[in-house]
Amino acid sequence: GVSALYTGAAPTILRAAFLNSSLLAITSQIKPEISARTGWAQTDVKNLFSSIFVASFFATLCSQPFDVVKSRVMGQPLNPDGTGKLYSGMVDCFVKSATNEGPMSLYNGFWPNFGRVVPRVTIVFIVMEQLKKLDPQLAARLRTLPLLTLQQLTLIHLPTPQCAPVRHAPLDLDRGGRAWSVHRLRLC
């Protein structure tokens, strides 16, 4: 039924929460440390890569048990009534995996997962830092983005001299009309 669409939703949400919160927290804490010890600026690509690499390791360490449980719960065979044959849910999977295979079984696939996280996070964070260099007020505006609905935010557009911003936008992120505006399907 419809509830089958949500199989593994809890461990997926927890995995994302642990991964992203630890990535952001550790990266923001370690960047100044690396800067102080090496003399690299906090926005220097070497500092960013180093801090992201360390943060990715610890974020994967925090989220890997949830990733294993998510994979096991979602991949288990099902009874005709749609219930799992091996696990009744997330907590049951945690307990059975740790009891039957040992607690380290929750870290199966750690290195491939770490190898997947590092490049993705590196690209995201370096692009974000480069965008913040282009416009120092971008960080404040980006904090407002999660509050937007998909209907309001159809396109974020950085105007060029050939493409002036249009004032029919439902929301102006700059609040001053200088560089960033939200437009509805306006391409230049």
Side-chain angles (χ1 to χ4, degrees):
V2 176
S3 64
L5 295 173
Y6 296 98
T7 302
T12 301
I13 292 167
L14 288 170
R15 176 199 173 274
F18 275 89
L19 180 74
N20 292 316
S21 62
S22 56
L23 269 173
L24 294 172
I26 294 169
T27 302
S28 66
Q29 290 294 311
I30 203 163
K31 273 194 324 188
E33 280 296 318
I34 291 174
S35 182
R37 293 174 190 258
T38 62
W40 299 334
Q42 287 190 33
T43 56
D44 188 342
V45 174
K46 294 178 286 195
N47 187 335
L48 288 172
F49 183 76
S50 302
S51 61
I52 290 166
F53 190 82
V54 171
S56 295
F57 177 81
F58 288 106
T60 305
L61 199 64
C62 292
S63 67
Q64 186 64 23
F66 297 101
D67 201 27
V68 169
V69 168
K70 172 187 73 95
S71 298
R72 290 182 179 193
V73 168
M74 292 175 78
Q76 71 179 322
L78 300 176
N79 293 317
D81 65 352
T83 60
K85 287 185 176 182
L86 303 174
Y87 313 107
S88 63
M90 179 182 73
V91 176
D92 185 47
C93 184
F94 266 114
V95 171
K96 285 182 179 175
S97 297
T99 304
N100 298 337
E101 302 171 45
M104 290 308 292
S105 69
L106 296 172
Y107 289 93
N108 288 343
F110 176 85
W111 293 111
N113 195 13
F114 174 68
R116 182 182 57 82
V117 168
V118 171
R120 178 186 63 86
V121 174
T122 301
I123 290 167
V124 168
F125 276 61
I126 288 177
V127 167
M128 179 76 92
E129 288 297 327
Q130 297 306 313
L131 286 173
K132 287 184 346 187
K133 278 183 185 178
L134 287 175
D135 185 358
Q137 297 173 353
L138 180 63
R141 289 194 303 273
L142 285 176
R143 281 189 220 113
T144 65
L145 285 179
L147 302 176
L148 300 176
T149 65
L150 288 176
Q151 196 172 29
Q152 290 172 316
L153 185 63
T154 53
L155 176 68
I156 295 180
H157 172 69
L158 181 61
T160 62
Q162 298 83 17
C163 180
V166 177
R167 286 289 158 236
H168 69 274
L171 182 66
D172 182 25
L173 294 179
D174 191 76
R175 301 201 202 330
R178 287 183 291 270
W180 286 79
S181 296
V182 176
H183 302 274
R184 288 188 180 273
L185 303 175
R186 169 95 168 133
L187 300 173
C188 295

